[in-house]
Amino acid sequence: MKHIKVFLLLTLLGCATVNAQDRYQIDGVISGNVEGRTVHLLSGGNEGGRKLVDSTIIRGGKFQFKGTVERPGPFAVKIYQTADRSNFKENLVWIGRPYVPLFLSNETIRIEAVLDSIPLTALKTFGYDFSKVHVTGSRVNAGYMEYIQKMMSLLNAKKTFEAPYKAYLAKRPNAPVSEGLSAIKQIDSIDFLIKDFVKKFVNKYQDNPISVYAFREAIMSSNEGMFTTAEIDDLLAVFSSAIKATQYFKSTAAIANETKKYAVGKKFTDLDLVDAGYKQVKLSDYVGKGKYVLLDFWGPWCAPCRKEFPYVKDTYKRYHPEGLEIIAISVDNHKDRWPKAMQEENLPYQNLAYPKHPFDFKNEDAVKAYAYWAIPFYLLIAPDGTIVDRNAHGSYLDKKLIEIYGNKLSVNGK
């Protein structure tokens, strides 16, 4: 399996729980210098994107939140020790504050902790040390705590294996291709463990909404596609009848089944696009015509996309004589941004764009054609129009093209 971008797209997820209780209650007991401190209840699992739901004041070392969630999902309780609500200092240093992540459903949760022992928020991190915080009362949240602790250990291990690969990418093109190919083998080994953990977690918690959350995150956090179509079917069958009856499961199953249309081995899906002259064209005008075609989905404002262009162009230079075609497909066809970026990048292959931005930011359940969740995204299509590889990039693309054409890559273009 290729490098899974487990940056964990942790969004507010959807359904009513199978619990009979129809309201949540969060009871906090915090010791230390806490009297009069403000506490926020925020929705979302990503610190940079959390939204305020409610606030209260700590009195006598206690606080409480009550309410209803239509959809269970990740939340956080954050304690502010001053009146300052900003996230960054003047020098752009992140301001960490005591917080407790929760997976909130309509159940009662109790939090007990010493203020100075509560971990602080960080802008880019995943996982949480619950050894300093005692959280009880909710079976859904208990599963969530297990999930993020285990996933944290796997992702920390993955960072160790990613370091050599990142070092290789920084040295390109002055590094042997074999170095990159060796590095991704280590990453693949951790990706396998992540996949195995999610499978086992879903089976263990098949009668708990947290299993749907874990499955949904696995589906929606990877451009590569963590599971095969057969594995998706097997996992969907695992959930209990009570869970399957919820809207939460139904929306997640719909997403999973939609992604199967774009799996490796499936026929490509046609797209309505525009060319560089804003003439309407179709993807089928270019693919399934007897050649391998690499689709590179990007945006003019996407720095990682444009950073990769020199290597994509080099790939084209080396493999186009062998029959490889590349099509750059911009998700943004703005008449200032797109033409300017095309001129700056001077891409030697076909440039197309969506007539309308494909990302539906208002609908969290939307699955665009090819089921990718971030850019850059790469799709390799075979001469007969079947999908060969999802998100083949960097050394993963090198590996696939060597399998198809042989090694046309070397250090310094020699």
Side-chain angles (χ1 to χ4, degrees):
M1 191 189 304
K2 299 185 295 297
H3 180 187
I4 299 173
K5 298 178 178 178
V6 190
F7 50 68
L8 293 168
L9 196 79
L10 294 171
T11 54
L12 203 60
L13 304 176
C15 85
T17 72
V18 295
N19 195 303
Q21 182 175 325
D22 60 0
R23 290 176 63 81
Y24 66 78
Q25 180 172 311
I26 303 172
D27 295 315
V29 180
I30 311 296
S31 59
N33 184 21
V34 297
E35 191 64 20
R37 305 298 187 197
T38 299
V39 185
H40 282 183
L41 176 64
L42 305 116
S43 64
N46 184 342
E47 177 60 25
R50 289 190 174 118
K51 297 180 180 179
L52 179 64
V53 174
D54 200 355
S55 65
T56 189
I57 304 296
I58 298 177
R59 302 295 186 194
K62 297 180 179 180
F63 68 87
Q64 185 179 81
F65 291 109
K66 289 184 177 181
T68 301
V69 286
E70 294 182 0
R71 299 182 168 190
F75 283 68
V77 168
K78 185 187 294 187
I79 300 174
Y80 290 87
Q81 296 169 279
T82 68
D84 184 10
R85 299 292 181 266
S86 58
N87 290 324
F88 294 94
K89 297 179 182 178
E90 290 184 0
N91 57 357
L92 297 182
V93 173
W94 178 260
I95 302 174
R97 294 185 174 89
Y99 85 112
V100 181
L102 305 170
F103 195 86
L104 195 58
S105 59
N106 291 318
E107 298 180 298
T108 297
I109 296 177
R110 181 177 176 86
I111 302 171
E112 299 176 80
V114 177
L115 179 64
D116 292 341
S117 297
I118 301 175
L120 303 182
T121 57
L123 185 58
K124 294 182 179 180
T125 189
F126 179 75
Y128 191 82
D129 182 6
F130 282 102
S131 66
K132 305 295 185 181
V133 180
H134 193 51
V135 184
T136 57
S138 165
R139 72 187 185 97
V140 180
N141 190 70
Y144 180 61
M145 291 192 295
E146 178 183 333
Y147 172 80
I148 63 174
Q149 285 178 300
K150 178 61 176 178
M151 192 64 80
M152 176 177 64
S153 68
L154 289 169
L155 294 181
N156 285 338
K158 184 170 182 174
K159 285 182 180 179
T160 302
F161 289 124
E162 284 179 330
Y165 182 55
K166 289 181 178 180
Y168 162 76
L169 293 178
K171 292 186 291 185
R172 288 185 304 173
N174 301 311
V177 173
S178 58
E179 183 179 333
L181 297 178
S182 176
I184 63 175
K185 287 182 180 179
Q186 298 296 322
I187 298 173
D188 286 345
S189 68
I190 294 295
D191 285 341
F192 176 83
L193 293 178
I194 291 171
K195 176 179 176 176
D196 186 61
F197 164 65
V198 174
K199 284 183 174 182
K200 291 177 178 176
F201 188 86
V202 169
N203 277 272
K204 179 178 179 179
Y205 288 99
Q206 58 188 261
D207 195 35
N208 186 324
I210 194 61
S211 61
V212 186
Y213 169 79
F215 177 64
R216 184 178 180 126
E217 283 297 299
I219 293 291
M220 299 185 70
S221 65
S222 168
N223 275 352
E224 289 86 349
M226 184 180 291
F227 304 117
T228 65
T229 56
E231 288 171 330
I232 288 175
D233 290 337
D234 289 343
L235 286 168
L236 287 174
V238 163
F239 297 96
S240 70
S241 57
I243 291 294
K244 288 180 178 179
T246 65
Q247 185 56 37
Y248 185 7
F249 174 83
K250 291 176 181 178
S251 65
T252 299
I255 291 171
N257 284 321
E258 183 69 13
T259 64
K260 292 192 300 182
K261 298 178 183 178
Y262 315 113
V264 170
K266 297 291 186 179
K267 198 78 171 180
F268 82 94
T269 296
D270 209 358
L271 297 176
D272 290 320
L273 301 165
V274 295
D275 64 16
Y278 289 88
K279 176 185 175 182
Q280 291 184 350
V281 297
K282 287 184 174 293
L283 183 61
S284 56
D285 296 335
Y286 305 92
V287 303
K289 305 294 185 182
K291 292 185 177 182
Y292 282 95
V293 181
L294 178 69
L295 306 182
D296 179 355
F297 295 83
W298 69 291
W301 31 259
C302 173
C305 302
R306 299 182 66 168
K307 184 178 180 180
E308 195 66 15
F309 274 147
Y311 309 105
V312 179
K313 287 194 284 187
D314 186 64
T315 297
Y316 182 76
K317 175 183 176 181
R318 297 177 188 281
Y319 284 102
H320 180 61
E322 306 298 321
L324 177 69
E325 299 290 350
I326 297 179
I327 302 175
I329 301 178
S330 175
V331 300
D332 180 355
N333 72 0
H334 190 279
K335 293 189 177 181
D336 290 330
R337 292 188 293 266
W338 184 39
K340 182 174 183 291
M342 282 192 292
Q343 183 178 24
E344 292 171 347
E345 298 297 345
N346 191 29
L347 302 179
Y349 36 82
Q350 185 69 51
N351 287 268
L352 305 176
Y354 284 89
K356 180 181 178 182
H357 202 299
F359 287 86
D360 186 348
F361 297 105
K362 296 181 179 179
N363 182 3
E364 295 173 351
D365 292 340
V367 180
K368 70 185 73 59
Y370 296 115
Y372 61 99
W373 317 103
I375 53 174
F377 169 62
Y378 305 90
L379 198 72
L380 185 61
I381 300 179
D384 65 355
T386 57
I387 297 172
V388 174
D389 208 358
R390 290 183 56 87
N391 214 28
H393 62 287
S395 293
Y396 298 100
L397 178 59
D398 292 342
K399 179 182 178 182
K400 182 57 65 174
L401 293 180
I402 288 171
E403 290 174 4
I404 296 170
Y405 296 113
N407 191 356
K408 306 298 178 182
L409 302 164
S410 60
V411 178
N412 293 325
K414 297 179 180 179

